[in-house]
Amino acid sequence: MTEKEKMLSGNFYDTRDIELRALSSNAKDLMQIYNSLPAENMNLRDRIIRMLFGFCGENIRVNQPVYVDYGCNVSIGTGSLINMNCTLLDTGKIVIGENTLIGPDVKIYTAVHPILPNERIYTDETGRKAIQTKTSPVIIGNNVWIGGGTVILPGITIGDNAVIGAGSVVTKPIPANAIAYGNPCIVKRLLNETT
């Protein structure tokens, strides 16, 4: 199994792997180009973001600047918006559904490290210190609104139609049709047809 396969399957992997470094470097180059493009050049922005992200539906908008680890592990559905200054640490998969709004300054993390330092830091076969890393995907459903400044931790699923209040820290899954906010983010109420 390659280090990339280990990474995407949630196993511990070597972040220093040559293939992974090349993918990350390519993403950083595309990200730098994308973030420097004139805002009104929508055609070129669309072409570059489609080269950077793994999947882009129709009629998406990703406002500049945006920051990624690999880019290729990000999927954004039709009609969705990622507002400015968002960070998508996509060592694992980040899936954003259709018609979903991601507010400014949102951070989505997929990397996981062991809690105990003697498990987190190890000595590799060459005698160098290295950090144990694995990933856990983040899945965001359709018609979701993530308020600005929210932090979404690894392994989180946010159900369809959910609303996450600004500044929340999402540490547990959020069900569909929920209004949730806070640090930690908790469900305050569920939406219904009369709400």
Side-chain angles (χ1 to χ4, degrees):
M1 184 179 280
T2 67
E3 296 304 313
K4 181 180 178 185
E5 290 169 337
K6 290 178 191 175
M7 179 178 80
L8 293 174
S9 65
N11 293 312
F12 285 113
Y13 68 97
D14 186 349
T15 61
R16 303 162 301 170
D17 177 68
I18 293 170
E19 178 188 15
L20 293 179
R21 291 291 172 129
L23 285 171
S24 181
S25 294
N26 181 64
K28 300 301 186 278
D29 291 345
L30 287 170
M31 183 179 66
Q32 184 176 18
I33 292 166
Y34 185 80
N35 288 338
S36 68
L37 290 172
E40 68 274 4
N41 194 340
M42 295 302 289
N43 288 336
L44 187 52
R45 283 178 55 192
D46 188 63
R47 282 186 26 220
I48 299 298
I49 204 69
R50 289 175 186 282
M51 292 170 65
L52 180 60
F53 285 1
F55 172 80
C56 296
E58 295 303 314
N59 194 32
I60 63 155
R61 184 175 177 118
V62 179
N63 288 340
Q64 303 149 298
V66 64
Y67 304 99
V68 297
D69 232 347
Y70 293 97
C72 61
N73 297 322
V74 175
S75 171
I76 179 171
T78 295
S80 290
L81 163 74
I82 297 174
N83 213 328
M84 67 183 120
N85 206 40
C86 287
T87 301
L88 311 173
L89 293 185
D90 65 313
T91 51
K93 295 283 187 186
I94 295 175
V95 178
I96 299 166
E98 296 184 354
N99 304 308
T100 287
L101 307 175
I102 308 290
D105 299 308
V106 168
K107 313 299 183 208
I108 302 175
Y109 304 138
T110 62
V112 179
H113 309 288
I115 298 292
L116 298 175
N118 63 333
E119 294 175 2
R120 184 171 55 250
I121 301 163
Y122 71 99
T123 303
D124 71 10
E125 63 282 349
T126 67
R128 293 186 307 167
K129 295 286 184 186
I131 297 173
Q132 290 273 36
T133 304
K134 63 182 179 176
T135 66
S136 191
V138 170
I139 311 296
I140 300 171
N142 299 323
N143 311 308
V144 173
W145 177 17
I146 308 291
T150 294
V151 175
I152 302 173
L153 297 184
I156 296 300
T157 298
I158 298 174
D160 292 347
N161 310 312
V163 176
I164 307 298
S168 294
V169 178
V170 186
T171 62
K172 295 185 178 174
I174 302 296
N177 304 306
I179 296 176
Y181 51 88
N183 180 4
C185 185
I186 59 172
V187 175
K188 301 297 185 173
R189 69 183 172 100
L190 295 176
L191 298 170
N192 61 44
E193 305 245 348
T194 61
T195 303

